Amino acid sequence: MPMILVPRHFFMNNHLAIEAALGAGKYAELLFAAGHKSAYAWCEREARTHGLNGVEVFEHYMRRLSQRGWGQFKVESVEPATGHARVSVTNSAFVLAHSGAPRKTCYMFRGWFPGALEFVGAQLGKRFALACEETQCAADGQHAVCVFEAMPRAADPGRVG
Ligand SMILES: [Zn+2]
């Protein structure tokens, strides 16, 4: 797969400039859709290349993200038939780059888990649409790791659609 490797500060300077221009809420919304699409396509292609099935694809994706500088991703739980999953992230690149007031910084990851898990579901013949939230973030000054939870959209009271 074609890759672009860049220094973390270069990526973060771009990220923070866009966040400042759009506002974190609007930016997070756009990133969810873009990240979801990219994760789904990545998993589809990697599954074909490596002959991976079901939850193996998700584990492979988490391992690759961990090897590529985004943080260390650990699958705490995953139900491939429903898309429910809980992932912890240690040393998130967004936490390491954060220098302002305590807040959740890692919203770029939010679309990645649903995109990957929806591909896993499709491989199993299941069609579902997932939401995802960062339920705790190490940049908020109160937690050591970030935690993301993916769930069916209807089960997430915080989201519409
Ligand atoms: Zn975080």
Side-chain angles (χ1 to χ4, degrees):
M1 193 171 299
M3 302 284 293
I4 300 172
L5 301 178
V6 297
R8 190 171 73 205
H9 75 259
F10 169 82
F11 174 84
M12 286 300 166
N13 285 336
N14 284 280
H15 174 74
L16 295 172
I18 298 166
E19 182 184 78
L22 292 181
K26 180 64 180 170
Y27 187 30
E29 197 180 303
L30 296 171
L31 285 175
F32 184 91
H36 180 286
K37 179 182 177 182
S38 301
Y40 193 102
W42 190 93
C43 288
E44 193 170 36
R45 186 155 165 180
E46 287 289 296
R48 196 166 54 237
T49 300
H50 300 290
L52 302 173
N53 287 298
V55 78
E56 290 178 332
V57 181
F58 191 62
E59 297 275 4
H60 173 65
Y61 182 45
M62 295 299 104
R63 195 161 48 245
R64 281 288 189 270
L65 293 178
S66 300
Q67 290 167 339
R68 290 177 179 172
W70 297 105
Q72 287 80 54
F73 290 66
K74 183 174 177 224
V75 180
E76 303 289 350
S77 67
V78 59
E79 294 172 21
T82 64
H84 272 105
R86 186 178 158 91
V87 176
S88 64
V89 185
T90 307
N91 298 318
S92 160
F94 298 98
V95 173
L96 297 179
H98 181 64
S99 60
R103 66 184 175 96
K104 291 178 181 174
T105 57
C106 312
Y107 52 86
M108 184 176 277
F109 298 149
R110 277 179 53 244
W112 301 6
F113 309 111
L117 290 162
E118 286 175 29
F119 171 74
V120 170
Q123 243 194 349
L124 299 171
K126 311 272 185 192
R127 294 277 168 202
F128 44 70
L130 302 173
C132 182
E133 293 300 331
E134 184 175 24
T135 56
Q136 68 176 55
C137 181
D140 71 2
Q142 299 176 43
H143 298 96
V145 300
C146 304
V147 175
F148 290 84
E149 295 193 24
M151 69 208 81
R153 285 188 192 184
D156 176 4
R159 285 186 73 84
V160 180

